[in-house]
Amino acid sequence: MNQQRRGSDHVRLLDGETFTQVEVHEEAASPRQIQLDDGSRLDIAPGSLLTATNNSRQMLDLTLERGRVTFSVQPSSDRTWRIDAGHLTIEVIGTVFTVTRSSDSARVSVARGRVRVTGERVEGGEQMLSMGDTIEVRPPIPQSVATPSTSAREEPTDDTRPEPEPDEPAVVAGGFDLGA
């Protein structure tokens, strides 16, 4: 029996429920696999939280609050998938890819197909990634407000050295570090 319902108003789980949010607790022994009615599959790692912020006929907007999700998205001209991972936004063009978000970085790795990645920390504001490409961005390093002074005889400690200048966008594509 074919359970796919192409053209429905919302992406649904195979049991018919509208996809809204999935949280997989840290204690889980393995990733949770979610099958959607459009034929797409999500493998959600323990410790992850994924929320649908817009689930309509034209658009599925997801926010990865934390953790790692591997997306196997069925190509569709009817609905655009977009994933917000903090410093990155990923637009799906029918593919298999993994998004990882932690408190200090966001990373996208493409296993098959293509995705468009945008964000202010992405070189040029936008990158197209294909099979084998990876991009990772980190937030800028905050400037310290005040740095304690040291006397002429004191050797500066790690606590008294000035903060480094904010880094350029940290981007990794195709396995090559393009900035750090």
Side-chain angles (χ1 to χ4, degrees):
M1 179 176 172
N2 184 354
Q3 295 187 357
Q4 294 182 6
R5 291 176 285 205
R6 294 195 181 272
S8 68
D9 288 339
H10 304 284
V11 172
R12 297 179 183 279
L13 305 174
L14 286 183
D15 66 5
E17 291 293 317
T18 299
F19 178 72
T20 56
Q21 185 178 70
V22 177
E23 181 169 15
V24 181
H25 296 281
E26 285 283 342
E27 302 80 31
S30 60
R32 180 170 175 201
Q33 190 174 90
I34 305 293
Q35 290 287 143
L36 302 175
D37 68 346
D38 70 350
S40 298
R41 188 183 78 231
L42 310 176
D43 293 310
I44 305 170
S48 300
L49 175 60
L50 181 68
T51 303
T53 55
N54 179 17
N55 184 349
S56 68
R57 182 181 300 264
Q58 298 82 21
M59 178 69 65
L60 178 60
D61 279 314
L62 303 171
T63 299
L64 180 59
E65 300 290 339
R66 66 179 182 275
R68 185 181 74 243
V69 178
T70 298
F71 297 83
S72 297
V73 178
Q74 291 296 317
S76 171
S77 60
D78 299 344
R79 181 177 286 120
T80 300
W81 285 54
R82 194 169 38 218
I83 298 96
D84 175 4
H87 301 288
L88 294 175
T89 300
I90 303 95
E91 187 174 318
V92 179
I93 306 168
T95 189
V96 177
F97 63 101
T98 300
V99 179
T100 305
R101 181 176 180 184
S102 67
S103 61
D104 65 348
S105 70
R107 178 184 179 99
V108 180
S109 300
V110 179
R112 185 179 70 225
R114 293 171 40 132
V115 297
R116 176 180 297 113
V117 180
T118 59
E120 68 179 42
R121 306 280 305 154
V122 174
E123 188 175 313
E126 176 179 298
Q127 299 255 332
M128 291 295 290
L129 302 182
S130 298
M131 185 174 79
D133 289 343
T134 298
I135 186 169
E136 181 172 5
V137 299
R138 295 174 193 89
I141 298 171
Q143 292 287 356
S144 62
V145 176
T147 302
S149 63
T150 60
S151 71
R153 288 184 234 153
E154 273 183 4
E155 183 63 25
T157 65
D158 287 342
D159 294 340
T160 61
R161 287 190 179 118
E163 291 289 323
E165 292 298 315
D167 60 343
E168 292 297 316
V171 177
V172 179
F176 297 99
D177 191 355
L178 301 177

